[in-house]
Amino acid sequence: MAHIRKNGWEKDWGIELKEGEKLANRLKRLEKLKAEIMELKQSVISEIRSYQNPPPAVHKVMIATYLLLDYPEKELLNWRNMQALLGKTGKEGLKRQVTSLDPLRVDMAKADFAFDKYLKETDLETIRDTSAGAATFYVWATNMIEEVHAVAEQKDKLLEEEKKRKQEEAEEAKKMEERKKARAAAKKAAPLSKRTSQMPGKKASSDQGRKTSKDAETRGRSNSRGREASRDNVSKSPARPGVARRTSSKSPAARS
């Protein structure tokens, strides 16, 4: 988060930054509660265990605490069983189990059940006046339940964002495929259209060329026939009196 602020990316990462700050604050609060529980002396837990007939508020808080640790409710309703659990140490000790509990491992339905049935009608001041040790577990249990909900909401949000991202990617892939097909179809149709547009022009040009050649040939033949007819007429026409027929284009004087 500090890196985002340092680089001035708050605008682009505003939502993520806000969610990250919330998560960091919750984790700090839980760490503080864990530290307070770890600082509890075994004598405080022994004090809770020493009750032969505990105050109802104390019993409810301890039931809610062990429910979050996934113990069956039926076993916890009997105070003697509760005393046996409070007397355990080491890995099975209450302090160790509470401080190592991951909110992701807590079933939300069980967390809601613990709050609604055993914590909802109990307040911190009443518990603190009765037992300081039980008050510490009350604060831990209520905050753990809040964290379970926060983690679940964040998980749902991430899943929704992931679903939305996949949908957007699928839509973009579909559009790209459609554009690809359109380009391929256009590329395939372009040569055919070009050939179709060029063929009439070529045919017209060829026809025009043949027509021009034919006209020239016809004119050439007509001119040739005209010259031959003219020569025939000259050779067949009678000589006029006093005019000698020219048998050559050159005069006798010229020939001599």
Side-chain angles (χ1 to χ4, degrees):
M1 290 182 289
H3 182 68
I4 292 175
R5 289 194 178 91
K6 183 179 179 180
N7 290 276
W9 296 338
E10 293 93 336
K11 186 176 180 180
D12 296 330
W13 295 86
I15 297 176
E16 290 80 359
L17 184 62
K18 188 176 181 180
E19 291 296 324
E21 289 176 343
K22 288 181 180 179
L23 177 60
N25 291 332
R26 292 198 307 268
L27 291 175
K28 287 180 181 179
R29 186 171 65 249
L30 282 177
E31 290 299 323
K32 183 179 179 180
L33 291 172
K34 288 180 181 180
E36 290 178 359
I37 291 173
M38 288 301 294
E39 290 174 0
L40 281 177
K41 295 180 179 180
Q42 188 61 34
S43 59
V44 175
I45 297 177
S46 297
E47 178 190 349
I48 299 173
R49 180 171 176 264
S50 66
Y51 285 114
Q52 295 300 317
N53 188 20
V58 173
H59 194 180
K60 286 182 178 181
V61 168
M62 301 316 297
I63 290 175
T65 299
Y66 277 102
L67 282 174
L68 293 174
L69 296 173
D70 204 26
Y71 283 82
E73 182 189 20
K74 185 177 180 180
E75 179 182 347
L76 302 173
L77 294 174
N78 188 312
W79 182 249
R80 288 185 179 276
N81 294 334
M82 182 71 74
Q83 287 177 314
L85 293 174
L86 290 169
K88 292 183 178 182
T89 58
K91 291 183 179 180
E92 295 182 348
L94 180 58
K95 289 172 61 175
R96 179 74 65 85
Q97 292 187 70
V98 165
T99 54
S100 61
L101 181 63
D102 186 348
L104 292 173
R105 292 169 48 196
V106 180
D107 181 70
M108 184 181 291
K110 184 170 284 190
D112 290 339
F113 175 77
F115 179 79
D116 292 338
K117 189 172 182 178
Y118 295 105
L119 299 177
K120 189 175 182 179
E121 296 180 358
T122 305
D123 62 90
L124 179 59
E125 295 301 324
T126 301
I127 298 296
R128 184 178 285 123
D129 291 341
T130 306
S131 169
T136 302
F137 287 110
Y138 174 86
V139 173
W140 174 84
T142 53
N143 278 274
M144 178 57 69
I145 293 171
E146 289 180 5
E147 183 63 19
V148 169
H149 277 274
V151 169
E153 290 174 2
Q154 187 176 21
K155 184 178 179 181
D156 291 341
K157 185 176 180 180
L158 291 174
L159 290 174
E160 185 64 27
E161 290 178 353
E162 180 68 12
K163 182 180 178 181
K164 184 178 179 181
R165 184 183 64 80
K166 288 184 177 180
Q167 288 177 345
E168 291 176 351
E169 289 179 352
E171 291 176 0
E172 183 62 25
K174 184 178 179 181
K175 290 179 181 179
M176 289 181 66
E177 185 65 23
E178 290 176 352
R179 289 194 293 267
K180 185 178 179 181
K181 289 181 179 179
R183 287 195 298 267
K187 187 176 180 181
K188 185 177 180 181
L192 179 61
S193 176
K194 187 176 181 180
R195 288 196 300 269
T196 304
S197 62
Q198 289 178 350
M199 285 176 65
K202 288 184 177 181
K203 184 177 180 181
S205 178
S206 179
D207 291 346
Q208 183 66 29
R210 286 196 295 270
K211 183 178 180 181
T212 302
S213 178
K214 187 175 181 180
D215 291 345
E217 183 179 353
T218 302
R219 286 195 299 271
R221 290 176 180 175
S222 297
N223 292 337
S224 177
R225 285 196 296 269
R227 286 192 297 272
E228 291 176 357
S230 178
R231 286 196 296 270
D232 291 343
N233 291 334
V234 170
S235 61
K236 291 179 180 180
S237 61
R240 287 180 294 175
V243 179
R245 180 182 297 175
R246 289 186 300 176
T247 59
S248 175
S249 59
K250 293 183 179 181
S251 63
R255 285 197 301 270
S256 62

